[in-house]
Amino acid sequence: MTTVPPIAAALRVCAALLVCVAPLAAQARRALQPEDWYRFQAVSDLQIAPDGAAVAYLVTSYDKASDESRAALWTADWTGRNSQQLTRGESVNEPRFSPDGHYLSFLSARPKGESTQVWLLPRKGGEWRQLTHVSGEITSYEWSRDGAHMVLVMHGVAPGTSETAPGKDGKARREHRPSAAPKPLVIDAYQFKQDEDGYLTAESRSHLYLLDVRSGVVEALTTDPQRADSKPQFSPDGRQIAYVSNLVGGPEDVGIDELYLVAPTAGAKPHRLLKTWTPNHQHLEWSPDGRQIAFLIGDEPRYNAYILDDLAVADVASGKVRDLTGKLDRAVVSPAFSSDGRSIQFAIEDDGFQYPAQVALASGEITHLGDSMVVTELATSAGHTAVLATNDQSAVEVSALEAGKLRSLSAHNRALLDELALGTVEDIAFTSRDGTSVHGQIVKPPDFIVGHRYPTILWIHGGPNGQDQHELVLEGYGPPLERQLFATHGYVVLAVNYRGSTGRGAAFARSILADWGQKEVQDLLAGVDYAIAKGIANPGRLGIGGWSYGGILTDYTIATDTRFRTAISGAGSGNQLTTYGTDEYIVEYNAELGPPWRNTALWIQVSYPFFHADRIRTPTLFLGGDKDFNVPIAGGEQMYQALRTLGIPTQLIVYPGEYHVLTRPSFLVDRSRRYLAWIEDYLGGSP
């Protein structure tokens, strides 16, 4: 018989207890619930102080009592030990550090119902101070480097007029005040609709205005009624403002950004620097020495739905352009000059990740600054780089990027996520019917058992410009949050980066050009076959769904394959003919498909879910917002009516006052509840 020392025996007892306690701790975690929307906090709009010692950002919360989404301004110092909420009450947006770093400015409509103005408050907290008193609608602004001026992006001001300093009553004075009575909307633009912005009229076109910070005087800088001006940036010496101007003309003018320079003086004549194809998200930034401007390049309108933004720089003196990432064949996100001006940092969208990188201006060499992460925004100053980053188990938070590693500067969702047992996410790769290699992810329930076949949901990302990646997003219409909602309730979830997605290069994205609903469906079905062949998916308990293009692909897929027992089509459409002129995509339609009277057969082909709705056997839930100009609710209404006519179980959910992306908290909760209930009705409960 062996004698065990008392200490060793005690350690063995502790180890045994830990083995018992660990499963109990895991069991204590719970599934993600629809009501958790009320506790989520979405982090966005990252800014870094000029001295690099602090960051500012917005935190959007979902208030149950008011049933509103509200964005508050937060700061955190570089150590991450001190963070502070600076605003409460009314939502704020567009945060900026003042050039001296002592103040933070932002836009807000305060009190609620008033027009949006620029406000200022001390960096360490204090009372708000109103800087502008204009009657137009400010959508953005930028500081001059000396802090004496701002350039405002504003619409709703009569062409040729200027806002002026406030009167004794504190209200703005202007030459022409709009009548309170509604007037007819005069449409004269080729592209005349935009989700959330509504109908695009001359009054809705934005122009630039110069604000004298000390006096409050506002003077017009750009006034051409046939142009919309945006994205202004002061040069380092303050003598010029670079901005983007878009001509509101015919089909030949769309999809083109013109970069202009103008002196910050009323009456100054703008000078065009260059023209470029419009990217997904334009961004201008001056080099520290003022000799170059960084910007993003898109693609010709024919490829408008498949753009991979390239990073370029233009020489200010000559206008000569150098494309820095043309050979990268991946999209570039959130570029920012380094403090020494020798490189530009950015994020690269690549096959399920979005990692930070930089390009050296002298050599063009691109180096990674981190791997296996998803960076959504990046800001750099004084040698410090801050990012908004997320992964499969963590929502978007602020982090310092140091030596390729992330150090947390915020943890707004940590308490909630610590309560949850989230599903595990694994990369998958398989071959589509024609031999194309397709990638994606599979999300397994937290208590997944190898060898057990699970009810499986194919959840499809929107776009198609975009990708399923290793993230946990809390707003918008990306699928990761829904993936975890389903996985934590016992379902396996498939996320397939079908052809048309980004992250795999331009050829992969463009392969569905003018041929919608064919290759994507092949890839999606191949993903389902893969999960069945691996012994994971139960072939008799399959579901499918998505939002936006994910909803459209849901319609395509259930009109192709009848094996799905349930479907969810959010903000989708099956009859693309009816979207022509009723949504915001006229540029893509005419350039990619051609007008319906010229290519009628092609339009019928890409509308096969509606014209062959009699092939559908899948009970389908349709949803959408009644103010959606991105994919109007009519797309769901038509498919709902078709299935009702055919006797297929279906339901239509219309969210009043909502655009393409839902924002009302009670609607977000309601949608998640309906997702779970609809799937459970047809797939049965989780195992």
Side-chain angles (χ1 to χ4, degrees):
M1 182 176 179
T2 304
T3 301
V4 180
I7 294 178
L11 288 174
R12 288 184 182 180
V13 171
C14 290
L17 287 172
L18 287 173
V19 169
C20 295
V21 169
L24 291 174
Q27 291 173 13
R29 294 195 172 213
R30 60 176 178 83
L32 180 64
Q33 298 296 335
E35 291 73 16
D36 287 327
W37 267 109
Y38 292 126
R39 293 180 58 192
F40 284 137
Q41 298 186 75
V43 178
S44 64
D45 294 78
L46 177 66
Q47 302 288 316
I48 190 167
D51 60 4
V55 293
Y57 55 95
L58 298 183
V59 178
T60 299
S61 57
Y62 304 90
D63 185 63
K64 186 174 183 179
S66 65
D67 202 16
E68 292 179 338
S69 303
R70 294 177 178 170
L73 178 61
W74 282 71
T75 59
D77 65 21
W78 192 248
T79 67
R81 291 191 294 267
N82 300 305
S83 63
Q84 183 180 9
Q85 182 178 348
L86 298 182
T87 67
R88 288 174 171 80
E90 291 85 0
S91 271
V92 307
N93 60 69
E94 298 287 323
R96 302 283 189 274
F97 281 96
S98 61
D100 61 10
H102 296 159
Y103 295 90
L104 277 159
S105 55
F106 51 87
L107 297 180
S108 184
R110 185 191 195 204
K112 186 177 178 180
E114 293 295 316
S115 61
T116 299
Q117 306 291 343
V118 180
W119 297 77
L120 191 71
L121 83 170
R123 173 167 154 179
K124 298 186 182 299
E127 291 297 318
W128 299 22
R129 179 164 68 89
Q130 187 173 342
L131 282 187
T132 62
H133 299 79
V134 298
S135 54
E137 184 68 21
I138 304 173
T139 59
S140 185
Y141 67 96
E142 293 295 336
W143 287 90
S144 64
R145 302 299 173 94
D146 61 5
H149 294 89
M150 283 184 179
V151 56
L152 311 177
V153 181
M154 186 162 54
H155 63 80
V157 181
T161 66
S162 289
E163 298 280 356
T164 61
K168 294 180 180 179
D169 59 359
K171 297 181 179 179
R173 299 190 305 266
R174 56 182 284 185
E175 297 175 25
H176 304 288
R177 290 191 176 276
S179 170
K183 295 181 179 180
L185 301 178
V186 179
I187 306 296
D188 62 353
Y190 174 65
Q191 183 175 357
F192 68 96
K193 280 186 169 183
Q194 189 72 37
D195 195 42
E196 298 189 36
D197 294 330
Y199 289 98
L200 304 179
T201 66
E203 189 177 47
S204 69
R205 292 168 199 155
S206 58
H207 300 289
L208 307 187
Y209 296 80
L210 186 69
L211 167 71
D212 185 289
V213 173
R214 182 181 295 274
S215 69
V217 170
V218 178
E219 297 179 293
L221 287 177
T222 64
T223 58
D224 188 341
Q226 295 303 311
R227 288 185 172 276
D229 307 311
S230 61
K231 310 288 184 186
Q233 290 288 330
F234 273 95
S235 61
D237 62 10
R239 295 180 180 179
Q240 297 186 91
I241 298 171
Y243 66 96
V244 176
S245 186
N246 300 106
L247 183 62
V248 181
E252 69 280 1
D253 299 312
V254 298
I256 296 173
D257 281 357
E258 296 183 88
L259 272 60
Y260 273 80
L261 300 173
V262 66
T265 305
K269 185 177 179 180
H271 162 68
R272 192 177 75 185
L273 181 65
L274 61 92
K275 293 172 65 174
T276 186
W277 295 118
T278 302
N280 293 304
H281 304 288
Q282 187 57 275
H283 179 87
L284 304 186
E285 185 162 336
W286 290 81
S287 62
D289 62 9
R291 296 179 179 179
Q292 299 182 90
I293 297 175
F295 65 101
L296 295 174
I297 299 175
D299 214 328
E300 60 181 286
R302 186 180 180 213
Y303 301 117
N304 218 31
Y306 319 104
I307 292 173
L308 309 182
D309 292 356
D310 276 0
L311 174 64
V313 290
D315 180 78
V316 175
S318 66
K320 184 178 179 180
V321 172
R322 184 158 58 107
D323 190 337
L324 299 175
T325 62
K327 297 180 180 179
L328 183 62
D329 199 26
R330 293 293 186 272
V332 169
V333 180
S334 196
F337 268 101
S338 62
S339 300
D340 59 14
R342 296 178 180 176
S343 62
I344 300 176
Q345 298 180 359
F346 48 86
I348 298 174
E349 184 187 43
D350 185 31
D351 202 10
F353 295 97
Q354 198 159 282
Y355 54 83
Q358 72 178 16
V359 58
L361 267 69
S363 65
E365 181 183 1
I366 297 174
T367 56
H368 291 199
L369 300 178
D371 294 295
S372 300
M373 61 181 72
V374 173
V375 168
T376 61
E377 294 183 31
L378 180 150
T380 183
S381 187
H384 287 171
T385 297
V387 298
L388 296 187
T390 173
N391 58 40
D392 295 321
Q393 303 288 313
S394 174
V396 174
E397 297 285 358
V398 185
S399 293
L401 177 63
E402 298 172 324
K405 304 294 182 182
L406 298 180
R407 176 172 57 82
S408 294
L409 298 180
S410 77
H412 293 279
N413 293 282
R414 183 176 296 165
L416 172 60
L417 294 175
D418 282 347
E419 297 177 14
L420 305 177
L422 297 179
T424 57
V425 183
E426 301 172 9
D427 286 316
I428 57 175
F430 50 88
T431 302
S432 195
R433 189 174 71 187
D434 62 359
T436 300
S437 176
V438 180
H439 300 173
Q441 296 103 45
I442 189 168
V443 188
K444 297 177 179 178
D447 55 356
F448 179 80
I449 300 171
V450 176
H452 185 90
R453 287 192 179 271
Y454 284 78
T456 299
I457 301 168
L458 174 61
W459 197 254
I460 311 167
H461 74 75
N465 194 294
Q467 65 169 352
D468 278 311
Q469 53 192 17
H470 291 277
E471 63 181 341
L472 185 65
V473 297
L474 305 180
E475 61 178 359
Y477 55 95
L481 185 62
E482 286 81 5
R483 293 182 345 199
Q484 288 292 352
L485 177 70
F486 301 139
T488 61
H489 284 265
Y491 302 98
V492 163
V493 185
L494 286 171
V496 174
N497 283 320
Y498 51 86
R499 275 171 283 184
S501 305
T502 49
R504 297 278 304 282
F508 189 86
R510 295 175 183 176
S511 62
I512 66 168
L513 183 76
D515 188 25
W516 309 338
Q518 306 296 330
K519 297 182 180 69
E520 312 100 295
V521 172
Q522 292 176 25
D523 297 349
L524 294 169
L525 294 177
V528 173
D529 293 339
Y530 166 88
I532 293 172
K534 289 291 185 181
I536 298 171
N538 184 334
R541 300 176 71 187
L542 299 175
I544 185 174
W547 196 268
S548 192
Y549 200 69
I552 293 172
L553 283 181
T554 296
D555 295 347
Y556 280 128
T557 306
I558 61 176
T560 303
D561 194 314
T562 60
R563 61 176 147 165
F564 295 96
R565 289 178 56 180
T566 187
I568 296 171
S569 179
S573 65
N575 181 4
Q576 315 316 337
L577 265 171
T578 59
T579 64
Y580 187 91
T582 64
D583 68 13
E584 62 187 38
Y585 293 109
I586 190 62
V587 176
E588 290 88 332
Y589 293 151
N590 280 347
E592 184 175 347
L593 299 180
W597 54 90
R598 195 172 70 203
N599 294 329
T600 307
L602 178 56
W603 279 88
I604 297 294
Q605 175 187 312
V606 300
S607 302
Y608 71 78
F610 181 74
F611 288 103
H612 295 288
D614 55 345
R615 299 174 181 172
I616 298 174
R617 300 290 182 268
T618 306
T620 305
L621 176 66
F622 298 96
L623 312 93
D626 70 348
K627 295 178 69 176
D628 188 349
F629 275 1
N630 189 314
V631 186
I633 189 65
E637 291 171 340
Q638 285 194 309
M639 291 302 297
Y640 163 78
Q641 200 71 75
L643 267 59
R644 287 290 291 178
T645 301
L646 292 164
I648 306 297
T650 184
Q651 196 173 64
L652 173 66
I653 310 299
V654 180
Y655 292 104
E658 292 290 83
Y659 302 105
H660 194 59
V661 177
L662 305 188
T663 59
R664 184 179 289 273
S666 64
F667 288 167
L668 294 168
V669 172
D670 177 88
R671 180 175 63 177
S672 295
R673 286 174 178 161
R674 292 183 188 277
Y675 283 172
L676 289 175
W678 187 264
I679 288 171
E680 185 169 342
D681 282 347
Y682 291 98
L683 291 191
S686 57

